[in-house]
Amino acid sequence: MLTLFLISIYIQDSLREYFFNQKGVELLTRANIIANIMPRYIQYSDEGIQEAVKQLEIDKSIRVIITDKEAKVLFDTAENNNLKDKVFLKEEVMKALQGNDVQNHFEEAGWVVNAAVPIIKEKETTGVIYLSASAQDIENFLNDIKKKLYGIALIVSVLIGLLSSFLAGVITAPVEELIAVIKHMADGNLNQKVEVKGNDEIAQLGIAFNKMSERLNQVEEKRRQFVSDASHELRTPLSSIKVLTESILQMQHPDMEVVQEFLSDIYNEVNRLSRIIDKLLMLTKTDVAINGLDLKDVNMRELLQRVVKSLRPLADHQRIKLKLKGSEDIFVLIDEDKIWEAIFNIVDNSIKYTSHEGTVVVSMHKSGFNVEIIVQDNGIGIAETEIQKIFDRFYRVDKARARETGGTGLGLSIALDAVRLHGGDIQVESEEGKGSRFRIIIPHRET
């Protein structure tokens, strides 16, 4: 609105200057015409001068004053306040007597435009022609223009205001909705989404927010499931320890063999509890280790030999043949501890779920830009519906067997996280009752 009013004022001033100048030029032209014919009448009577002015048909609204070279008024068309025979010491007259054409305008009980030119006879200034005309009609016209400009400015300002309000609503409404949803989310209500309309930047922001909300819900669901599963797993050995301890305390004359048996069970449960805690700590470290890999060039053949050597006592105890097929030296840029743990967990899992007199075979080969480590067994296998779940934390295909072998349901999850930190993956092929085949795929990177 301020801009429009400033423009209106500028237009008014420009028009005023233009019209007043035009009026001044018109008076100067008339004054010069009179000045050109006056020398032949200037020495004659008032009647002669009046006759000359009459011949020029000058509008009666224009006041004509003629002076001699002393600024004495020889002729004045004004009926009121006639200046005849008086000295007319007006600034314009003084400048005209010096040989200059002068025109100006001013406000004096209404706008007036004046013009004065010298009367020159034989290169000598013999008098002045002074014309004065009211310019109130111009001012009235300009006032009318001013009212219309201000009216237009006001109407345009209102329209712009309405349009701005509408556009502001269109733009800010989605943002306000997003802010409200974010506040709800900050209060703990993570299941929040915004309605996305269009394809502009606000819509893109809404899509990104919905994806973030969905991801947060998934993380929260996993967190709750993890806490629930972890609590359940920890409660089981603790409950056993509590029952066994209470049983010992309630014995008045305990049999040492029974006490020894109970203490042995407590010891086993404590070990189980310790294993669960170790696995949980390892998962925590894996979750935060995305940028914390300690990469170095590792000979994968030697790493597999160490894994097999560590697990051979367990395999021998269960009368399972654990084989490592010969392979060439392959050096890969990895975090040795994490990959060792991943392979160890998968081989350990295969041994646990393979029956007595079974076989577990570990092999390795290069495939394109990857290194593949194959762990194959002829154990109980995995149902097709269970394959996608075996990498979930705390999930176990056979819970009774897992309890017998001390399984926690965390090993495969830890293995997959460790391999994926390296940009790899683990694929499973299995048939129930015939065994499983795990393919650990690691990108082949060297220093």
Side-chain angles (χ1 to χ4, degrees):
M1 181 180 282
L2 178 62
T3 302
L4 289 171
F5 277 114
L6 290 175
I7 292 173
S8 299
I9 291 171
Y10 172 78
I11 292 173
Q12 293 170 50
D13 290 341
S14 298
L15 287 175
R16 175 177 282 107
E17 192 67 24
Y18 172 78
F19 284 122
F20 279 122
N21 283 338
Q22 285 295 101
K23 188 72 171 180
V25 169
E26 179 187 343
L27 289 182
L28 277 177
T29 302
R30 289 179 178 274
N32 275 295
I33 293 173
I34 297 173
N36 286 333
I37 66 170
M38 269 302 111
R40 73 181 80 166
Y41 294 100
I42 201 69
Q43 302 298 332
Y44 298 101
S45 62
D46 293 346
E47 290 77 7
I49 298 174
Q50 194 167 358
E51 182 62 26
V53 172
K54 184 178 180 181
Q55 289 179 6
L56 294 173
E57 297 182 351
I58 298 174
D59 195 300
K60 292 183 178 180
S61 63
I62 300 175
R63 182 179 184 180
V64 181
I65 297 176
I66 302 174
T67 72
D68 60 15
K69 62 180 180 180
E70 302 296 334
K72 181 180 178 181
V73 176
L74 301 177
F75 180 79
D76 185 359
T77 58
E79 295 180 359
N80 298 323
N81 195 24
N82 193 288
L83 300 177
K84 189 174 183 311
D85 296 329
K86 295 181 180 179
V87 177
F88 192 37
L89 298 177
K90 200 168 181 66
E91 181 180 359
E92 294 89 334
V93 175
M94 295 298 101
K95 289 182 178 179
L97 287 173
Q98 296 173 4
N100 301 310
D101 288 356
V102 183
Q103 67 98 358
N104 63 12
H105 57 272
F106 57 90
E107 187 177 13
E108 185 181 83
W111 283 92
V112 177
V113 178
N114 298 326
V117 300
I119 301 172
I120 299 174
K121 183 179 180 181
E122 296 177 356
K123 298 182 180 182
E124 182 181 350
T125 300
T126 59
V128 171
I129 302 296
Y130 177 86
L131 302 183
S132 178
S134 172
Q136 194 58 43
D137 56 336
I138 296 176
E139 188 61 24
N140 292 338
F141 172 75
L142 291 175
N143 286 334
D144 187 49
I145 292 291
K146 178 172 70 174
K147 291 177 182 178
K148 290 179 180 178
L149 287 174
Y150 285 169
I152 293 171
L154 183 61
I155 292 171
V156 171
S157 297
V158 171
L159 292 176
I160 291 175
L162 293 174
L163 179 62
S164 300
S165 178
F166 171 75
L167 292 177
V170 170
I171 295 171
T172 60
V175 177
E176 290 176 353
E177 180 186 355
L178 183 59
I179 291 172
V181 171
I182 291 173
K183 287 180 178 178
H184 284 298
M185 184 173 285
D187 292 335
N189 304 317
L190 297 182
N191 191 21
Q192 299 288 324
K193 285 192 176 182
V194 295
E195 185 179 354
V196 178
K197 296 179 181 178
N199 195 34
D200 55 9
E201 290 79 1
I202 302 297
Q204 295 299 320
L205 181 62
I207 292 171
F209 175 83
N210 287 342
K211 288 182 180 178
M212 181 191 72
S213 176
E214 185 176 347
R215 178 62 179 158
L216 283 175
N217 274 310
Q218 292 173 355
V219 171
E220 177 63 13
E221 185 62 31
K222 287 184 178 179
R223 184 192 68 81
R224 290 177 180 174
Q225 186 64 41
F226 178 81
V227 171
S228 175
D229 292 342
S231 300
H232 175 76
E233 291 296 325
L234 293 171
R235 187 183 297 114
T236 303
L238 286 173
S239 298
S240 298
I241 293 171
K242 181 180 179 181
V243 170
L244 292 168
T245 304
E246 287 177 347
S247 299
I248 294 174
L249 290 173
Q250 289 173 1
M251 294 179 183
Q252 293 182 356
H253 303 287
D255 185 343
M256 289 309 297
E257 290 185 4
V258 175
V259 172
Q260 283 284 73
E261 182 182 350
F262 281 13
L263 289 176
S264 177
D265 291 340
I266 291 173
Y267 177 76
N268 290 333
E269 291 299 330
V270 169
N271 283 338
R272 173 174 166 74
L273 186 61
S274 179
R275 286 195 300 272
I276 293 173
I277 293 172
D278 288 342
K279 295 289 186 181
L280 291 174
L281 290 174
M282 188 169 296
L283 278 174
T284 303
K285 291 178 181 178
T286 303
D287 287 341
V288 300
I290 295 177
N291 297 319
L293 293 176
D294 183 17
L295 299 176
K296 58 183 178 181
D297 236 2
V298 176
N299 188 331
M300 295 299 296
R301 182 179 63 82
E302 293 180 357
L303 185 144
L304 291 179
Q305 287 176 343
R306 295 201 306 274
V307 170
V308 170
K309 183 179 179 181
S310 298
L311 288 170
R312 194 171 295 283
L314 175 63
D316 292 343
H317 178 73
Q318 295 184 206
R319 299 194 302 277
I320 293 172
K321 295 178 183 179
L322 178 59
K323 298 179 181 180
L324 174 62
K325 286 190 176 181
S327 61
E328 60 179 327
D329 290 334
I330 301 177
F331 289 86
V332 184
L333 191 64
I334 58 171
D335 187 315
E336 185 175 7
D337 291 338
K338 287 183 172 57
I339 294 300
W340 187 93
E341 183 70 26
I343 298 172
F344 180 94
N345 284 340
I346 291 176
V347 177
D348 177 61
N349 190 75
S350 294
I351 293 172
K352 289 176 180 176
Y353 288 92
T354 298
S355 303
H356 295 322
E357 308 301 332
T359 302
V360 176
V361 180
V362 182
S363 62
M364 176 181 64
H365 67 275
K366 286 182 66 176
S367 175
F369 295 101
N370 298 319
V371 173
E372 292 189 7
I373 298 149
I374 311 297
V375 180
Q376 187 161 355
D377 64 64
N378 57 1
I380 63 173
I382 308 169
E384 186 176 352
T385 56
E386 305 286 334
I387 289 178
Q388 298 300 322
K389 303 176 183 178
I390 61 174
F391 292 103
D392 293 345
R393 296 174 180 182
F394 296 107
Y395 184 81
R396 289 169 294 193
V397 176
D398 187 341
K399 295 185 179 180
R401 189 182 185 90
R403 177 164 292 281
E404 292 175 5
T405 59
T408 63
L410 295 172
L412 292 181
S413 178
I414 292 172
L416 182 61
D417 287 347
V419 172
R420 284 183 173 173
L421 281 175
H422 290 76
D425 197 10
I426 300 177
Q427 298 176 357
V428 184
E429 300 170 9
S430 184
E431 187 175 348
E432 199 168 7
K434 292 187 177 181
S436 304
R437 185 170 185 263
F438 287 79
R439 294 173 61 228
I440 305 171
I441 303 169
I442 302 173
H444 186 206
R445 295 175 294 192
E446 299 180 351
T447 54

